[in-house]
Amino acid sequence: MEINWRERRYCGQLRAKHQDREVLLMGWVDAIRDHGSLVFIHLRDVSGVVQVVFDPRVSPESYQSSTSLKEEYVVQVKGRVAIREKGTENPNIETGDIEVFATELVILSESRPLPFPISEKAMVYGEEVQARPDKVDEELRLRYRYLDLRRPSMQALITARAEIMNVAREVLRRHRFVEVETPFLTRSTPEGARDYLVPSRLHPGKFYSLPQSPQLFKQILMVSGMDRYFQIVKCFRDEDLRPNRQPEFTQLDLEASFIDEEFIYQVVEEVLERIFSLRGFTLQRPFPRLSYELAMELYGTDRPDTRFHMTFVDVTGVVKDTNYGIFRNIVARGGCVKGFCVRGKAGELSKNVLQNEYALQIAPSFGAKGMSWMKVTSRGLESNIVQFFSPSEQEGLVKAFEAREGDVLMMVADSSRQLVNQALGRLRLHVANRLGLIPEGRFEPVWITHFPLF
């Protein structure tokens, strides 16, 4: 059978402006609803879904053929675009205000019974998709990967990835970067992980190494005078799987000559700004910059979430002579006392939560030996340890944290400053997630500079 691809229209591109036009569609049967006198299907292709109606009054032949359709049959449909009757629109899909009345139907390929459902769209507005494919066992989805990749949500990710690559290329080419492919089969070089090895057929006992990064090749390009290079490149590292480590990954790699740090800041910020704008997110430029040391002191991590406040305050000097033995002894051994202020959340963090959950369980799970807390009230500070602090020390704590009524102070003390910072960093994120302090749909990149070499 000859495929008339020149006349084909994509399902997801049909709109009300195409009313009364004859269209040729090709795709997969996403869902079926048989009303006896009418058969409705959702026809799906890479662009989206459109409803097709088989009406015996319009075409008895196509209606008769439609009664044998099953999910994931591949079909070719010719028909006329019509506006849906009022009250039958489906806002769940972009083509929900139109439908196509079929005049011809050709079954291009049939399908066996599916191992799991693929459809992600309800045919009727307000109806739930009963068996969601994202709840299917992952091993089963991977076994039938070609079916899993038919899902619109999966295809949207692949499409988004392609859009991101196109935007990165567009920005870098505007800055006179040249895209260069570097070899995959190379010699082993000292990097941060183990190499994947490929045996050589022509040289028995010899092996090629898959590159952990194109580092050597791009340095050769710089020495050879290419000036500015970039590549969207596969890298391979023989490492154990972790959330931020995979054996095979893709990175945007670049190198440039005759530049300074400011050039890199500006180019990378422009690339990221354009990428995030693809999904409607606005990034404020220039990105703020924090030294590694300051990031650890204020946030306890080299990848801080700056979308909410609660930066750390060092109150060692305030409590060094306090009657609270734990603080006094730790300071005497050269340790420190630091904490953060949770603004206006005293009503949501009860004494029971602060003491029995955070002080006794959560903070120790983050490596701290404990946690001290205080609430700011109209009568002053309240806590199970506040009696050990003099009025001047209490006033000093309020001033250091810039605390107000309704705030909660959470503090960690230890002889190891590194442990204090790391424990507070995890505690800060836990509290923010629990109280919903992290704004949704907002991104605030930050440069971390001056990393220690060792």
Side-chain angles (χ1 to χ4, degrees), residues 228-241:
R228 295 176 186 178
Y229 137 96
F230 83 96
Q231 182 181 189
I232 298 171
V233 58
K234 283 280 187 187
C235 298
F236 306 88
R237 298 180 182 180
D238 188 4
E239 296 183 307
D240 295 332
L241 284 174

Side-chain angles (χ1 to χ4, degrees), residues 254-283:
L254 52 89
E255 190 73 67
S257 302
F258 306 110
I259 58 159
D260 59 9
E261 283 187 20
E262 289 302 319
F263 176 83
I264 297 297
Y265 287 138
Q266 292 178 21
V267 169
V268 172
E269 286 181 13
E270 185 178 347
V271 170
L272 289 176
E273 181 187 37
R274 287 289 311 282
I275 287 173
F276 275 76
S277 69
L278 291 172
R279 291 298 178 266
F281 298 111
T282 300
L283 300 184

Side-chain angles (χ1 to χ4, degrees), residues 30 37 44 46-47 54 82 90 260 281 300 315 329 332 399 452:
D30 189 69
S37 59
R44 184 191 73 244
V46 71
S47 67
F54 296 93
N90 186 355
D260 59 9
F281 298 111
V315 293
N329 294 335
K399 184 176 180 180

Side-chain angles (χ1 to χ4, degrees), residues 82-360:
I83 304 296
R84 292 200 193 194
E85 293 183 7
K86 190 172 181 59
T88 65
E89 300 93 342
N90 186 355
N92 289 328
I93 57 177
E94 294 184 0
T95 59
D97 57 347
I98 59 103
E99 55 193 359
V100 176
F101 280 87
T103 56
E104 295 181 19
L105 170 64
V106 178
I107 298 176
L108 302 176
S109 178
E110 297 182 350
S111 172
R112 296 174 182 174
L114 299 173
F116 54 82
I118 294 173
S119 176
E120 296 180 328
K121 299 290 185 182
M123 292 196 70
V124 179
Y125 177 59
E127 186 179 67
E128 292 284 338
V129 178
Q130 296 299 321
R132 293 182 58 83
D134 56 354
K135 295 182 179 179
V136 177
D137 179 67
E138 185 176 43
E139 186 175 335
L140 183 63
R141 287 171 51 194
L142 291 174
R143 188 185 310 160
Y144 296 95
R145 187 62 166 168
Y146 58 93
L147 295 179
D148 191 49
L149 290 176
R150 291 184 187 178
R151 293 165 47 205
S153 59
M154 296 295 291
Q155 294 183 357
L157 293 175
I158 295 173
T159 303
R161 189 175 187 273
E163 292 173 352
I164 288 171
M165 290 180 176
N166 287 338
V167 163
R169 286 187 170 103
E170 180 185 324
V171 173
L172 292 172
R173 284 169 180 159
R174 192 163 60 246
H175 287 280
R176 301 182 64 85
F177 281 81
V178 178
E179 185 171 9
V180 181
E181 289 187 35
T182 54
F184 271 171
L185 294 178
T186 181
R187 64 176 298 173
S188 181
T189 57
E191 301 234 15
R194 292 182 294 271
D195 292 323
Y196 278 107
L197 300 178
V198 180
S200 170
R201 179 180 62 84
L202 297 176
H203 305 281
K206 305 284 187 180
F207 296 84
Y208 296 104
S209 174
L210 298 181
Q212 296 184 37
S213 77
Q215 185 67 34
L216 290 182
F217 298 117
K218 66 183 180 182
Q219 289 174 341
I220 291 172
L221 288 170
M222 294 304 100
V223 174
S224 66
M226 280 304 299
D227 197 60
R228 295 176 186 178
Y229 137 96
F230 83 96
Q231 182 181 189
I232 298 171
V233 58
K234 283 280 187 187
C235 298
F236 306 88
R237 298 180 182 180
D238 188 4
E239 296 183 307
D240 295 332
L241 284 174
R242 283 180 283 168
N244 61 346
R245 290 287 187 275
Q246 296 184 45
E248 175 186 341
F249 60 92
T250 303
Q251 70 180 31
L252 174 59
D253 192 65
L254 52 89
E255 190 73 67
S257 302
F258 306 110
I259 58 159
D260 59 9
E261 283 187 20
E262 289 302 319
F263 176 83
I264 297 297
Y265 287 138
Q266 292 178 21
V267 169
V268 172
E269 286 181 13
E270 185 178 347
V271 170
L272 289 176
E273 181 187 37
R274 287 289 311 282
I275 287 173
F276 275 76
S277 69
L278 291 172
R279 291 298 178 266
F281 298 111
T282 300
L283 300 184
Q284 298 299 321
R285 293 178 58 195
F287 298 169
R289 301 176 193 176
L290 283 176
S291 68
Y292 173 86
E293 182 179 1
L294 190 57
M296 296 303 296
E297 285 296 314
L298 294 180
Y299 300 98
T301 177
D302 59 7
R303 49 185 187 279
D305 190 336
T306 60
R307 292 175 295 174
F308 63 102
H309 296 293
M310 290 168 52
T311 52
F312 304 163
V313 177
D314 191 330
V315 293
T316 307
V318 177
V319 300
K320 60 184 176 64
D321 297 319
T322 183
N323 288 328
Y324 185 50
I326 294 177
F327 282 4
R328 187 180 65 249
N329 294 335
I330 286 175
V331 174
R333 296 198 304 267
C336 68
V337 182
K338 297 179 69 174
F340 54 80
C341 179
V342 188
R343 303 287 180 196
K345 297 297 182 180
E348 298 179 46
L349 293 171
S350 66
K351 294 180 181 179
N352 179 59
V353 167
L354 290 167
Q355 184 61 32
N356 294 330
E357 291 188 31
Y358 277 103
L360 299 181

